[in-house]
Amino acid sequence: MISNLKHLTYLYLSYNRLEGQIPPSLFNLTQLYGLSLSSNKLVGPIPIKINKHQKLVYLDLDSNLLNGTIPRWCYSLPSLSELSLNGNQLTGSISEFSTYSINSLDLSDNKLQGNFPTSIYEFENLIYLSLSSNNLSGLVDFHRFTKFKNLWFLDLSNNSFLSINSNNSVDHMLPNLEILDLSSCTINTFPKFLARLQNLRYLDLSGCNIHGNIPKWFYENLLHSWRNIDHIDLSFNQLEGNLPIPAFGIDLNVFSVSNNNLSGDISSTICNASSLDILNLSHNNLSGMIPQCLGHLPYLLVLDLQRNNLHGDMPRNFSKGNILETIKLNDNRLEGPLPQSLVDCKQLQVLDLGDNNIVDIFPTRLETLPQLQVLILRSNQFYGVVTCSGTKHPFPKLRIFDVSGNHFSGLLPASCIKNMQGMMNVNDSSQSGLKYMSNGGRYYNDSVVVFMKGESRELVRILTSFTTLDLSNNKFEGDIPTAIGELSSLIGLNLSHNGIIGTIPQSFGNLTSLEWLDLSGNQLTGEIPMALLKLNFLSVLNLSQNQLEGMIPTGGQFNTFANVSYEGNPMLCGFPLSKSCNKDDEQPPQLTFHHEEESDDFGWKVVVVGYASGVVFGMVLGYSVFFTGKPRWLARLVGAIPDTRVRRTSIRARANHR
């Protein structure tokens, strides 16, 4: 029907649920100026042939499932000014353009490869260029960008084999550039042309292997020239020197310089950027104290200062009504106690204070935080008992709970555990695909270090279905609460190196998602429950250094565990230990002969005669079995043989008599 509309000039069918291939007849409409089929479910290749009189000016096919190569006509249409094919599965290289009318080109998020096409340098009217997230290679010569007087958006990011040559002294290159994303390309040094940009709003040079000191002109621009900048990301480089501080009143939303070698203090003037959403200074060599004013930033979502050399207290006064979602201050030298005002962080989802020197009791008040999913207090100086005060639903969404390596004592916190709804049935079968925590939006990924399967691992993204409980290396005592067996979605459980007594609860058989279980270094008694055979995903088990007894269960995952899982339990027996549980299978005791002089000859003669008689008897018996089958007399004889232990007693008696 549409192909019969000969005078049709614009066709927009974006953001629907259209499927199938693009009808080739659409490109026979000679009066068509604009065609948009973006954000559908279209598949297959883009039609190869079109009407030679095509007047197409605007073509948008992004965010579909299109494959194959980019047709040749896309490079030669004389009137085409906007071409958007991003977010598909297009392959092959980007060919050279024979028409230079294009002012907006977006081929990002495909599987394109090959060199950066040099014909793009001839697009004098270019305003928008995005080739990000492909496999492009070769060299981009920024000196040839001087003619792009109108370019305001440039994104070449996530092309790890693409090198950027920006070492030139052109004074007025890209005068109107506002958005520049060169992340995960190879640059090595700060692009000099940035010094002349006055209108820059978005700058991402992360993961570019830039090394050395941050140039002085960058500090100057940040203080005086870039009044409109709202996004700066210099993370994952090898930058040195002091931390750059934005100017007062600047509307900076994202400031990330993580994973560098920056040093010095964090000046309190950083709070001049009162519009900050994300502040990520992690993985550097920053020292000094944390500015107290950071607790008062009204729009701050993410405060990540982990893995530095910061000391002193964390911010004491978080303002009421703050919207913090992530606070990560782990791996520093912070001291305590924890601020009472943490309870005012009602939107807090991740709190990681691990590996510091904080001295305090367990922060029971945090149980009221309705969104808290990750609480890590690992390796500090916390002490006392861990309890929940009686709130109706304490820690309602907690999924990762790690208080290991402290001085907690008393009973295991059953009052908290039995209410941890976030560890019960967190997998929603109605949802498809993996989901990750995304605090701070698409500009920040929550990460966490966990001890899983006996090793320390950093999860660079946190699955919403990831659940662990780690109470190890404390002074807990008493029995293991059966309520732990109700945490049906638990993936990892570590209660090792405490003073826990009693038996392993049968309810652990309900932990069908469990992948690692460590109960080592306690005083557990009794047998290993057969219910643990239900744990089909259990890949690491450590029950060593306890007082367990009886037979080790066989079958399922238990057939994969080695001796190390059970060592230090002298009363355990069975596979894989060398100690058998069946006494009948033990090696019979050696016969003891009295070596007196008068009986020496008799002893060895009896052995030889017995040996010879046995050989003859065996040959006759073998002949009979081979030709006649199992003799009935033999079956009756075997059936009449008394218990093995009686026979051994009889042998010993006869030997002693001799």
Side-chain angles (χ1 to χ4, degrees):
M1 179 194 71
I2 294 177
S3 62
N4 293 325
L5 304 177
K6 301 301 183 182
H7 300 286
L8 188 66
T9 55
Y10 293 97
L11 176 61
Y12 295 99
L13 299 174
S14 300
Y15 297 98
N16 283 288
R17 300 177 183 177
L18 299 175
E19 301 176 351
Q21 297 189 4
I22 299 174
S25 57
L26 292 181
F27 294 95
N28 291 326
L29 298 172
T30 57
Q31 302 302 313
L32 195 64
Y33 282 84
L35 173 62
S36 179
L37 304 176
S38 65
S39 300
N40 282 289
K41 298 179 181 180
L42 300 174
V43 298
I46 301 172
I48 299 176
K49 295 181 179 181
I50 66 170
N51 190 296
K52 64 177 63 177
H53 302 293
Q54 182 62 253
K55 297 179 180 180
L56 204 60
V57 174
Y58 173 86
L59 177 62
D60 185 0
L61 305 178
D62 71 74
S63 303
N64 281 287
L65 301 171
L66 302 174
N67 56 28
T69 59
I70 300 175
R72 292 187 176 276
W73 57 263
C74 288
Y75 302 102
S76 59
L77 277 180
S79 56
L80 189 63
S81 64
E82 296 185 31
L83 176 62
S84 296
L85 304 178
N86 57 295
N88 284 287
Q89 300 175 16
L90 300 173
T91 57
S93 59
I94 304 175
S95 299
E96 298 293 345
F97 288 83
S98 59
T99 179
Y100 307 126
S101 59
I102 291 180
N103 58 45
S104 177
L105 177 63
D106 192 346
L107 305 179
S108 61
D109 292 289
N110 280 288
K111 300 177 181 179
L112 301 171
Q113 56 189 15
N115 292 334
F116 181 86
T118 57
S119 56
I120 290 180
Y121 296 130
E122 306 301 324
F123 293 172
E124 295 187 4
N125 297 318
L126 192 61
I127 298 174
Y128 185 107
L129 176 61
S130 179
L131 304 178
S132 67
S133 301
N134 281 290
N135 297 308
L136 301 181
S137 56
L139 179 67
V140 177
D141 186 0
F142 260 67
H143 178 69
R144 300 186 64 181
F145 278 25
T146 54
K147 61 182 65 178
F148 296 155
K149 304 300 183 181
N150 300 316
L151 186 65
W152 73 273
F153 185 105
L154 176 60
D155 186 356
L156 304 179
S157 63
N158 295 304
N159 287 286
S160 55
F161 300 107
L162 194 65
S163 298
I164 309 295
N165 178 16
S166 61
N167 290 327
N168 54 68
S169 58
V170 178
D171 291 340
H172 300 289
M173 181 189 295
L174 307 176
N176 292 304
L177 190 65
E178 296 184 18
I179 297 176
L180 176 63
D181 191 345
L182 302 179
S183 59
S184 299
C185 295
T186 301
I187 301 179
N188 298 325
T189 59
F190 255 89
K192 292 182 179 180
F193 69 89
L194 292 178
R196 294 289 183 176
L197 299 181
Q198 300 295 315
N199 302 312
L200 197 61
R201 292 195 298 110
Y202 183 106
L203 175 64
D204 192 341
L205 300 178
S206 61
C208 291
N209 196 34
I210 302 174
H211 56 276
N213 290 321
I214 298 176
K216 291 183 179 180
W217 57 259
F218 187 88
Y219 291 94
E220 291 295 322
N221 282 14
L222 196 55
L223 287 172
H224 304 294
S225 300
W226 293 337
R227 309 300 300 181
N228 297 319
I229 197 162
D230 60 20
H231 183 112
I232 297 177
D233 192 346
L234 306 178
S235 59
F236 292 94
N237 285 292
Q238 301 177 43
L239 299 173
E240 301 174 359
N242 293 326
L243 181 69
I245 301 296
F248 176 77
I250 192 172
D251 290 330
L252 187 63
N253 301 132
V254 177
F255 186 54
S256 178
V257 292
S258 68
N259 296 85
N260 282 288
N261 299 313
L262 298 175
S263 56
D265 296 346
I266 304 175
S267 172
S268 59
T269 56
I270 196 169
C271 296
N272 289 338
S274 57
S275 298
L276 273 173
D277 294 331
I278 298 172
L279 178 60
N280 188 356
L281 312 180
S282 64
H283 296 80
N284 279 288
N285 297 315
L286 300 174
S287 56
M289 302 180 69
I290 299 176
Q292 292 293 311
C293 60
L294 292 177
H296 300 292
L297 294 178
Y299 305 109
L300 194 61
L301 296 171
V302 174
L303 175 61
D304 191 347
L305 307 180
Q306 64 173 311
R307 298 202 175 188
N308 281 287
N309 294 310
L310 302 170
H311 66 271
D313 294 342
M314 62 185 293
R316 306 303 304 168
N317 297 307
F318 290 96
S319 59
K320 291 185 178 181
N322 72 77
I323 58 174
L324 274 163
E325 297 178 351
T326 295
I327 299 177
K328 303 190 69 175
L329 306 177
N330 52 290
D331 292 272
N332 280 287
R333 295 185 289 119
L334 301 179
E335 301 166 356
L338 296 184
Q340 295 284 339
S341 60
L342 272 174
V343 75
D344 293 323
C345 302
K346 300 298 185 182
Q347 305 302 318
L348 194 61
Q349 299 181 34
V350 177
L351 177 61
D352 191 346
L353 304 176
D355 294 279
N356 280 290
N357 298 312
I358 298 173
V359 181
D360 202 350
I361 60 174
F362 180 73
T364 302
R365 56 192 176 276
L366 298 184
E367 69 181 26
T368 61
L369 297 181
Q371 305 298 328
L372 190 61
Q373 300 181 46
V374 178
L375 176 59
I376 299 178
L377 306 177
R378 177 181 59 241
S379 300
N380 278 282
Q381 305 296 323
F382 287 95
Y383 62 93
V385 297
V386 178
T387 60
C388 290
S389 63
T391 303
K392 186 175 181 180
H393 296 294
F395 298 112
K397 291 189 177 182
L398 199 62
R399 298 185 292 105
I400 299 177
F401 185 46
D402 187 350
V403 296
S404 62
N406 283 285
H407 305 295
F408 289 120
S409 57
L411 301 178
L412 292 169
S415 59
C416 301
I417 293 171
K418 66 181 181 181
N419 289 297
M420 290 181 174
Q421 298 294 321
M423 299 186 187
M424 303 176 188
N425 302 314
V426 299
N427 294 317
D428 187 355
S429 58
S430 65
Q431 297 178 354
S432 59
L434 300 177
K435 291 193 174 183
Y436 298 89
M437 296 188 67
S438 57
N439 293 351
R442 66 187 183 94
Y443 299 120
Y444 180 84
N445 288 324
D446 269 305
S447 62
V448 67
V449 174
V450 295
F451 283 83
M452 54 187 296
K453 303 183 180 181
E455 299 178 355
S456 175
R457 301 184 185 180
E458 181 176 9
L459 306 179
V460 295
R461 300 183 70 186
I462 306 176
L463 276 169
T464 56
S465 60
F466 188 84
T467 56
T468 63
L469 179 62
D470 194 339
L471 308 177
S472 63
N473 291 282
N474 281 286
K475 300 175 183 179
F476 289 115
E477 55 191 18
D479 295 342
I480 299 176
T482 57
I484 293 181
E486 299 176 11
L487 308 180
S488 55
S489 295
L490 200 62
I491 293 177
L493 175 60
N494 191 347
L495 305 179
S496 67
H497 301 287
N498 283 288
I500 303 172
I501 61 175
T503 60
I504 301 174
Q506 292 285 339
S507 62
F508 275 22
N510 298 327
L511 304 177
T512 52
S513 297
L514 205 63
E515 295 182 16
W516 71 92
L517 173 62
D518 191 346
L519 305 178
S520 62
N522 284 289
Q523 301 174 35
L524 296 172
T525 57
E527 296 185 345
I528 301 173
M530 297 296 291
L532 298 187
L533 289 171
K534 300 177 184 178
L535 309 184
N536 295 326
F537 297 104
L538 192 64
S539 59
V540 174
L541 175 68
N542 192 350
L543 303 177
S544 64
Q545 308 304 322
N546 279 287
Q547 300 173 25
L548 299 171
E549 59 185 49
M551 178 182 292
I552 296 173
T554 57
Q557 292 297 101
F558 274 82
N559 290 347
T560 67
F561 302 136
N563 289 12
V564 68
S565 295
Y566 311 104
E567 62 185 9
N569 291 278
M571 300 297 289
L572 281 179
C573 59
F575 180 84
L577 302 178
S578 56
K579 181 180 179 181
S580 173
C581 296
N582 187 352
K583 294 182 179 179
D584 293 347
D585 295 337
E586 296 177 0
Q587 191 71 18
Q590 299 295 321
L591 300 182
T592 303
F593 295 98
H594 299 283
H595 298 285
E596 300 176 2
E597 291 185 2
E598 64 271 20
S599 61
D600 284 348
D601 292 341
F602 176 77
W604 69 263
K605 290 179 181 178
V606 170
V607 173
V608 171
V609 171
Y611 178 80
S613 300
V615 171
V616 173
F617 178 76
M619 293 175 64
V620 173
L621 178 60
Y623 177 87
S624 175
V625 171
F626 184 79
F627 287 98
T628 65
K630 181 175 68 174
R632 294 180 180 176
W633 62 266
L634 178 59
R636 288 195 298 270
L637 177 62
V638 172
I641 292 178
D643 184 85
T644 306
R645 286 171 291 185
V646 176
R647 286 189 284 115
R648 289 174 179 164
T649 302
S650 177
I651 291 173
R652 291 194 193 98
R654 287 198 298 273
N656 291 332
H657 176 72
R658 288 172 182 153

